[in-house]
Amino acid sequence: MSDARRTDSVLLLVAIVWGSSYLSAQTATTALPVLLVLFARYALSAFACLGVIASRGRTSRRWTRDELRAGVPLGLTQAAVLVVETYGVAHTSAANAGLIISLTIVLTPLLDRTGHPVGLPPVFYAAAGLCVLAVGLLMAGNGFHAPRLGDLLMLGAAVVRAGHVALVGRLTAGRAIRPLHLTTVQTLVGTVLFLPLAARDLPALAHAGTATWTQLLYLALFCSVFAFLAQTWAVQRTSASRASLLLGTEPIWAAAVGVALGGEHFTVLTGLGAVMMIAGTYWGQSVERAHRSTTPRRTEVQPAGEGTAPRVEPIASALSE
């Protein structure tokens, strides 16, 4: 296998893993309270990240001031994303969750104006409008009715995640921040934040079955740590545009996993909404990328040091997924 094909395969695997995370989270929250699931996911991820850092030698074990200053607020916003997202996926289908959350792709450029000082072209708003229409069809399900709570929460999660991604760009631009160390700080912040909220339910972890622990370990080690490290490795070996295109297939895999493994099904309305959502997000992403490449931007310092990589829009960190 050529290096380019191997890199593409790794990025596609990351998209598949992230797409499957919605069904895993949904399954875990049927057995355990949402806040307990989030605490376990964060704690297991933090333990794994600290283990990776410890294996890299003494110089790699130190955090810089910039990594701590960015990691703490980003840990808080990341936790907000996962709270809304996990409650949302617990009250809707995994397919709908993965499709609606992909709105982040078109919402992020609207919030992050650093790369678009003169605004976005009108065609971008047409793509965003197509996505909004797609959300309405996904929420309709078997027919037009009042939106389900889970769908509304996923819509809120997309907005919060877009804000988080925009903040990542703002806090890390021009700073020598190592992605692994930044993510470790975020996982530690999340662990500390969710521990008191989940403390009352901690005994439930001791009684959780093998299937539940498998889902928790999968969310923490594969959907978070592995996906993050694999993404970082891959984007160093390909263009940001190609990486973004492959990672953007996440909602397709979320829908596929929900149907194939979760026993979910699409009605005519939800099927049409899925097609429109995927088309709208890809359209908006291509328009935004082309506009950014032709618009003069302020000069940014490329972060140096271990583990740095081009920023892949709109995926900013592992636990955002």
Side-chain angles (χ1 to χ4, degrees):
M1 184 182 294
S2 66
D3 288 341
R5 191 167 294 181
R6 183 183 301 111
T7 301
D8 286 351
S9 298
V10 170
L11 286 169
L12 195 59
L13 179 60
V14 171
I16 294 172
V17 168
W18 276 340
S20 67
S21 68
Y22 301 99
L23 182 60
S24 294
Q26 186 182 63
T27 304
T29 54
T30 59
L32 296 172
V34 168
L35 294 176
L36 185 59
V37 169
L38 289 171
F39 166 73
R41 179 176 180 177
Y42 265 110
L44 291 169
S45 297
F47 182 78
C49 286
L50 288 171
V52 173
I53 289 176
S55 68
R56 290 191 169 189
R58 182 174 300 177
T59 57
S60 296
R61 298 173 191 171
R62 297 178 181 176
W63 278 263
T64 66
R65 184 173 298 177
D66 282 340
E67 288 165 351
L68 294 174
R69 284 179 174 175
V72 173
L74 290 177
L76 296 174
T77 57
Q78 187 184 73
V81 172
L82 282 182
V83 166
V84 183
E85 184 178 299
T86 307
Y87 272 111
V89 77
H91 294 88
T92 189
S93 67
N96 265 22
L99 290 163
I100 294 174
I101 200 70
S102 65
L103 267 175
T104 303
I105 294 174
V106 294
L107 289 174
T108 300
L110 296 175
L111 298 177
D112 183 14
R113 305 307 294 270
T114 57
H116 315 285
V118 296
L120 291 159
V123 69
F124 178 85
Y125 296 96
L130 182 63
C131 292
V132 172
L133 181 58
V135 170
L137 292 176
L138 289 169
M139 290 182 176
N142 294 316
F144 291 101
H145 53 76
R148 290 178 293 183
L149 174 62
D151 293 332
L152 290 175
L153 287 171
M154 292 310 301
L155 184 58
V159 175
V160 178
R161 188 198 280 194
H164 169 74
V165 174
L167 187 61
V168 170
R170 187 169 302 177
L171 294 181
T172 61
R175 295 179 174 86
I177 293 178
R178 294 161 294 182
L180 176 59
H181 288 64
L182 179 64
T183 297
T184 304
V185 175
Q186 290 174 277
T187 60
L188 290 171
V189 169
T191 301
V192 172
L193 182 64
F194 287 113
L195 176 57
L197 299 176
R200 184 180 60 181
D201 298 314
L202 282 177
L205 284 176
H207 303 290
T210 303
T212 301
W213 272 104
T214 299
Q215 299 295 342
L216 293 175
L217 289 169
Y218 181 72
L219 286 169
L221 302 183
F222 286 88
C223 300
S224 297
V225 180
F226 162 76
F228 165 74
L229 294 176
Q231 177 202 1
T232 302
W233 176 87
V235 296
Q236 289 176 317
R237 291 162 174 79
T238 189
S239 67
S241 296
R242 187 168 184 82
S244 184
L245 181 67
L246 291 167
L247 291 172
T249 63
E250 176 191 342
I252 300 175
W253 298 113
V257 170
V259 172
L261 301 180
E264 300 173 359
H265 64 279
F266 280 158
T267 64
V268 174
L269 287 178
T270 53
L272 180 59
V275 172
M276 291 173 62
M277 176 63 76
I278 293 169
T281 53
Y282 269 86
W283 183 19
Q285 186 181 50
S286 63
V287 169
E288 188 273 342
R289 187 166 56 240
H291 180 68
R292 177 164 28 84
S293 66
T294 57
T295 302
R297 299 185 64 182
R298 64 182 183 183
T299 302
E300 293 183 355
V301 179
Q302 175 64 34
E306 173 191 356
T308 55
R311 186 175 134 210
V312 181
E313 64 287 355
I315 311 298
S317 63
L319 278 175
S320 290
E321 302 306 325

